[in-house]
Amino acid sequence: MAASTRAVELALAAGAAAQDKMANDVVALDVTTQLALTDAFVIASAPNERQVSAIVEAVQERLSQLGCTTLRQEGLREARWVLLDFGDIIVHVMHSEDRGFYDLERLWKDCPRLGVPPTSA
């Protein structure tokens, strides 16, 4: 089973919002076959805590415009690895150092990628 149309829509919107705030290496993964908890992960990174926070705010604002609210969030105070749970998708915004260390793409390497198009900024 593949990610729902709504999950793909939200993942692509979250990815675009992250890119608008200059996030690095934005990736969206369809995790439906590996995880019953959600349909997609979006992973983005930034070189400092301030930018991580700005990306989180932009993602929440963009998904709010699509009628989606954050069900849970963790890590915003430290802004090293912020997890945003929107139900259909989970967004991970990580400090670049932490992203390299945890290497989530390697852990979820069997999951198909959803195409997050590059921004034309």
Side-chain angles (χ1 to χ4, degrees):
M1 180 163 164
S4 70
T5 304
R6 177 69 171 162
V8 172
E9 174 191 19
L10 294 175
L12 296 179
Q19 288 175 329
D20 289 349
K21 289 298 180 181
M22 308 303 287
N24 299 322
D25 304 319
V26 179
V27 174
L29 303 171
D30 179 342
V31 297
T32 53
T33 60
Q34 304 291 324
L35 192 64
L37 177 64
T38 191
D39 282 1
F41 278 174
V42 177
I43 306 166
S45 56
N48 59 61
E49 290 84 353
R50 187 175 198 165
Q51 192 174 358
V52 167
S53 296
I55 293 166
V56 165
E57 185 177 320
V59 168
Q60 288 179 309
E61 183 177 322
R62 179 78 53 93
L63 294 189
S64 175
Q65 292 169 354
L66 295 173
C68 193
T69 58
T70 309
L71 302 175
R72 287 179 241 22
Q73 80 178 19
E74 294 182 26
L76 190 57
R77 182 188 310 215
E78 296 82 15
R80 297 286 301 184
W81 180 350
V82 180
L83 184 142
L84 302 170
D85 182 353
F86 293 97
D88 291 330
I89 69 167
I90 294 176
V91 179
H92 302 268
V93 184
M94 306 174 79
H95 191 286
S96 299
E97 292 173 1
D98 295 347
R99 184 168 181 182
F101 180 79
Y102 291 103
D103 198 7
L104 294 180
E105 290 92 338
R106 182 184 56 78
L107 293 173
W108 299 98
K109 69 181 178 216
D110 295 335
C111 297
R113 289 183 182 226
L114 302 172
V116 177
T119 57
S120 57

